[in-house]
Amino acid sequence: MKRFHGHVMVHDLKSSVHFYSTLFGTAPAVLKSDYAKWMIDDPPVNFAVTAGSTAPGLDHLGLQVDSDEDLAIIALRFDAAGQSVEKQENASCCYARGNKGWVSDPSGISWETFHTFGESTVYGDDVALRPAVSKSQEGKVCCTPVPSSTSACCSASKAQ
């Protein structure tokens, strides 16, 4: 199964959890002090919010897939659309472990494709290799793009 993914940065996690739980008719599947994720079946959506940003709004869009083979197929589609995928293997992000790829659409919106295969005890310890870095989001949390020489939480080496 493939799921559409949307990730939004928010000022107030508690009020956002209340709003989206009411909208979706269900509590988050994952709830942490700085993060919440809903896994909705109809339509199939993985929707996440992260608190702590000074610039709320859309962080990125994406597609969640069930296998690395599906990731490879999507990478070929991005390549055919003229976008080179920045790959991450065994990445820790949003309290999960997985393989992923990043591209930007023609308007500069970041797109993530990912196959999750485990949980993580931390929000993220890797640097997302997004092609487009929004100045308002640099260094805000571990899974947002940061210059490679900054951010203590992102000191783990990049997956190649």
Side-chain angles (χ1 to χ4, degrees):
M1 169 192 277
K2 293 180 180 79
R3 284 184 188 268
F4 181 78
H5 171 62
H7 195 128
V8 174
M9 302 302 281
V10 299
H11 279 305
D12 182 341
L13 187 69
K14 184 178 177 180
S15 63
S16 295
V17 166
H18 173 74
F19 176 83
Y20 289 113
S21 293
T22 302
L23 174 65
F24 300 142
T26 189
V30 176
L31 181 60
K32 304 289 184 178
S33 63
D34 58 348
Y35 174 81
K37 175 177 71 177
W38 292 261
M39 297 294 283
I40 303 161
D41 290 327
D42 186 19
V45 173
N46 169 336
F47 183 81
V49 296
T50 298
S53 174
T54 57
L58 177 66
D59 186 64
H60 64 273
L61 299 172
L63 294 173
Q64 180 179 10
V65 298
D66 290 332
S67 70
D68 286 338
E69 292 78 19
D70 287 339
L71 277 180
I73 291 168
I74 293 171
L76 289 172
R77 291 178 185 168
F78 280 135
D79 188 55
Q83 299 296 321
S84 176
V85 176
E86 296 290 337
K87 295 179 182 177
Q88 286 181 292
E89 294 179 0
N90 198 27
S92 176
C93 188
C94 301
Y95 300 99
R97 296 211 66 81
N99 294 329
K100 57 176 63 186
W102 291 96
V103 300
S104 288
D105 77 1
S107 295
I109 296 172
S110 291
W111 274 82
E112 172 189 33
T113 59
F114 60 100
H115 167 225
T116 300
F117 50 75
E119 294 183 15
S120 175
T121 59
V122 296
Y123 181 81
D125 64 0
D126 65 331
V127 177
L129 299 174
R130 299 187 204 178
V133 176
S134 164
K135 289 293 181 190
S136 66
Q137 295 300 317
E138 276 186 2
K140 298 296 183 214
V141 293
C142 292
C143 293
T144 58
V146 295
S148 59
S149 62
T150 63
S151 184
C153 71
C154 298
S155 60
S157 63
K158 293 181 193 176
Q160 297 298 324

